[in-house]
Each structure stands twice: as structure tokens, then as C-alpha cells.
Amino acid sequence: MTATTDPRPPFLSVEHLSVRYPVHAGVLRRRVGWVKAVDDVSFAIARPGEALGLAGESGCGKSSLARALLRLIEPAAGRVVLEGTDITALGPEELRRRRRDVQIVFQDPYWSLNPRMKVEDIVAEPLEASLGWDRRWRLARAHEVLEAVGLRHDQAHRYPHEFSGGQRQRIGIARALSVQPRLVVLDEPTSSLDVSVQAQI
């Protein structure tokens, strides 16, 4: 019996991805070098529905890699190919449209939510940016997703400072799921929460 290989390309392919940050010095803050945060990383996710975990010590570049997957920061080298589309080669307008397909839940629920926005607007914001739905439909979808992550309907009108850390992270998860993305990147979404709340999330 001979083994057969799947001819389809992987759902997500990360090829030789590198991220670096400039080092500045002096009164004029001139660039004097670079710090490598991610150096030549490659991996693949074969099919939708699969999960891949990346482990490493604090400061090893996991968050930089997560942000580079969405081009929240620009990679210095390499490619991110999602379902045959090279994300790293997209222009600004096309990238904005494809952001619906890839969403992120950030590590820290305290700084990742806009304190001046109501929770329903935070969750509805990706819908406006990606789909441009009517506000009434965006808010209806936001309420639906908030309830799905365990928040009450009446809490949608509150501001982030009125919630605990675990509740804020639920809001972040709802925001990521609101547009029904093809890929969700989780950047240690429970690391800043206590153990009992981690289990709930």
C-alpha cells in the first residue's frame, strides 16, 4: 500500500518569516542596528478547524509573530499565505478586506479595548470595517456574540472599565469572532488572568 499525499495547498502557510525592530541611540535617535524578534520561522496548518500551539519563554517573539501574521507589524522577510493568498503581498485596500478572515485576541485585556467606546461598539467595529453593515444589524450581531461568550444583553451598553479582567477578555474574544473569521490568532489570551478565570475563558 502506498501513502498518498493531499494535493491541496495548506490552509495557512508561514514561510521563513522574520520580524526585526530598529535600535536607536543618541540625541537624534538615529538607527544604529536591529533586534531580531522572529528569525526564519516556518509552519503550516493543513486544514480549517486545526489548531497549532507555539510555545516559548517570555520575550522569544511569540507576540511579534502573531502580529506579523495579520500584518499589524510588517515582517522583514518571509510570506504568510492564507488559502492561497499571499497576505504579505497585499496592498492596503485588499489587506483591509482580508482582515475579516484573520482576527486576533490579544494577551492583555486591559489595553486592547478602547476605553472610550461602549462594549457593543467595540464588538461591532470589525463588522463596520470589514462588511459595512447597517448600524442596527452590526449591533444586533454584537449582542449575539457577546451573549455567546457569556455576557448579558444589558452589559453591552457599558464601558470596558466597568468589567473585570476575565469579562474584558470575553469582550476581546467576541470582537474577534464577530466577523466569523477563517483564522483566529490567540496571543496568550489568558496569561494575565487568575487561574479560575483562565479555566472559564
Side-chain angles (χ1 to χ4, degrees), residues 8 30 35 39 42 51 55 59 88 109 134 139 146 148 157 178 185 194:
R8 295 175 296 175
R30 298 177 67 179
V35 172
D39 189 21
S42 298
T88 47
D134 174 87
L139 293 181
L146 285 167
H157 305 290
S178 65
V185 178
D194 64 53

Side-chain angles (χ1 to χ4, degrees), residues 35-90:
V35 172
K36 289 182 179 179
V38 178
D39 189 21
D40 196 25
V41 171
S42 298
F43 61 86
I45 296 176
R47 297 289 161 259
E50 290 186 5
L52 172 70
L54 297 178
E57 63 188 25
S58 180
C60 73
K62 298 186 300 296
S63 293
S64 293
L65 176 60
R67 286 165 171 75
L69 293 179
L70 285 81
R71 279 183 61 191
L72 298 177
I73 57 175
E74 291 292 337
R79 298 197 315 156
V80 177
V81 181
L82 177 66
E83 295 185 301
T85 299
D86 185 352
I87 301 296
T88 47
L90 296 179

Side-chain angles (χ1 to χ4, degrees), residues 105-115 122 168-169 172 175:
V105 179
F106 293 100
Q107 182 174 347
D108 188 341
Y110 291 92
W111 69 262
S112 62
L113 303 177
N114 187 334
I122 289 172
R168 292 187 196 194
Q169 198 58 296
R175 176 177 58 187

